[in-house]
Every structure is written in C-alpha cells, then in structure tokens.
Amino acid sequence: QSALTQPPSASGSPGQSVTISCTGTSRDVGGSDFVSWYQQHPGKAPRLIIYEVTKRPSGVPDRFSGSKSGNTASLTVSGLQPQDEADYYCSSFAGINRVFGGGTKLTVL
Amino acid sequence: QITLKESGATLVKPTQTLTLTCTFSGFSLSTSGVSVSWIRQPPGKALEWLALIYWDDDKRYSPSLKTRLTITKDTSKNQVVLTMTNMDPVDTATYYCAHEPAHSSGLFDSWGQGTLVIVSS
C-alpha cells in the first residue's frame, strides 16, 4: 500500500479558512468510511481531530471539519487561529491495514 | 482516562533487533474489538503505520515491513511488544503506540508520548 497524498504545505491568515486534501484510491479512502485526521505540534504526539470522515472527538473545536468525495478526503480549518499552525496527517483504513498521508504543514501567516 | 507509554532501547546498532514495549492503562486488550498499533515517524518525516494487534490476538503488519516485524501482547501486564529485526539507520525514528477503540478500524484516539530510536554503529 502507498501513502496517501497530501500537499506538503498550506497557509492562511488568521480568520481565514484553509482546506487540506488527502488523496488515496478505491482500496483505502474511496472505499472506507474510516478516514481520520491528526494534528501534530512540534515535539508532540499526534492528536485525533476528525474520525470517520466527518466526526469530531469531544474537545475539538467545530472550526475543524472533514469531508470526502470519491478517493479524496478533505480537512477544512475555518477561522484560522495561531495555535492551528501544525502538521496535519490523514489516515485511512486500507483493507485490513492502515495507511497515513505524507503530512501537510499548515502555516498561519 | 487512557494512557500509553513506550519503552525500550534508544540506541541500536545496524543489523540488531529492536524490542519496544507499550505499557498502557485505562482499557483492556481483552475487550472485544480493541486493538493497539505501532506507528513510527522518522525525524522531519511523515507518520508510518507499522503493525497492530487485536484483543483476540489477531495481527496485522505493514506489507513493506512484514518480514521484519513481530507484535505480541501480554494482557495480564497491559503490554504490547514490537520487535523489529535487522535494524538499519533508515529505521531511526520516534516510535509511537496508539489505542484503537472497538470496531473503529483506523481511529487512533490515544497515543503514547513516543520514544526516539537511533540506529547507528
């Protein structure tokens, strides 16, 4: 299985919205309702922010939202805040295994 | 509250075997549907899923590393152990263990702090 494809970087100004894509295949993203997103600040462990494509764990602001179309999942961060600057990774169930994306560094300008 | 903590060698030589232990609390690996995964992250690079073990001892491995990995559990000690053979400098990474709730298929809701493993002679 290959890693899911994410853009290496994304950016936006405070208050703006940014969308990060995650492209896979019909064997993972396209064929699974189990797509999740993780936020990782430098030196920290990843934190789950979206699961099952669109659901948010308790404690995650509703500024974070997820969606999926075909083989591409997306994470949208609305109302960007300085603390949103971090690396973001998508993950998908892939048959019997799991696979991560290459990560996207989000910069808040 | 679920907690996980990784432990094991921090420096290994090329060709050696790495053994890492994940000690957890707040859940039981005898609960139906629950699993624990190992995930690694080379410095400055992306996350890579390595292996998982289910409550019923079923196991899954990354196809690219399958021949080098073994995952086991000790339910009584609340531990999951990962061994990786024939270590190489490219295996230098932070290794995480993570909890996957019952019947969630790829949802890592709790992570350990990670342990940095350096492979060098």
Side-chain angles (χ1 to χ4, degrees), chain A residues 4-23:
Chain A
L4 307 175
T5 300
Q6 296 181 235
S9 63
S11 63
S13 300
Q16 288 186 332
S17 293
V18 170
T19 297
I20 298 170
S21 62
C22 169
T23 301

Side-chain angles (χ1 to χ4, degrees), chain A residues 34 36 38 40 48 89 98, chain B residues 41 52 54 100 104-105 108:
Chain A
F34 297 103
S36 51
Y38 301 85
Q40 186 181 35
L48 176 70
Y89 294 92
R98 284 90 174 111
Chain B
Q41 183 174 38
L52 74 81
Y54 284 102
E100 210 174 287
S104 62
S105 299
F108 307 109

Side-chain angles (χ1 to χ4, degrees), chain A residues 23-108:
Chain A
T23 301
T25 70
S26 59
R27 292 185 297 275
D28 38 62
V29 174
S32 174
D33 292 329
F34 297 103
V35 176
S36 51
W37 289 89
Y38 301 85
Q39 178 191 62
Q40 186 181 35
H41 288 109
K44 301 294 187 181
R47 169 199 178 201
L48 176 70
I49 56 172
I50 295 288
Y51 67 100
E52 293 177 14
V53 180
T54 62
K55 299 177 181 178
R56 274 189 315 277
S58 61
V60 174
D62 59 6
R63 303 184 294 102
F64 293 90
S65 63
S67 62
K68 191 183 84 166
S69 177
N71 295 337
T72 298
S74 298
L75 171 72
T76 297
V77 186
S78 306
L80 271 175
Q81 297 186 4
Q83 61 265 36
D84 298 333
E85 184 161 299
D87 293 326
Y88 291 84
Y89 294 92
C90 61
S91 175
S92 174
F93 180 63
I96 59 172
N97 296 323
R98 284 90 174 111
V99 63
F100 282 96
T104 298
K105 181 175 181 59
L106 175 60
T107 300
V108 181

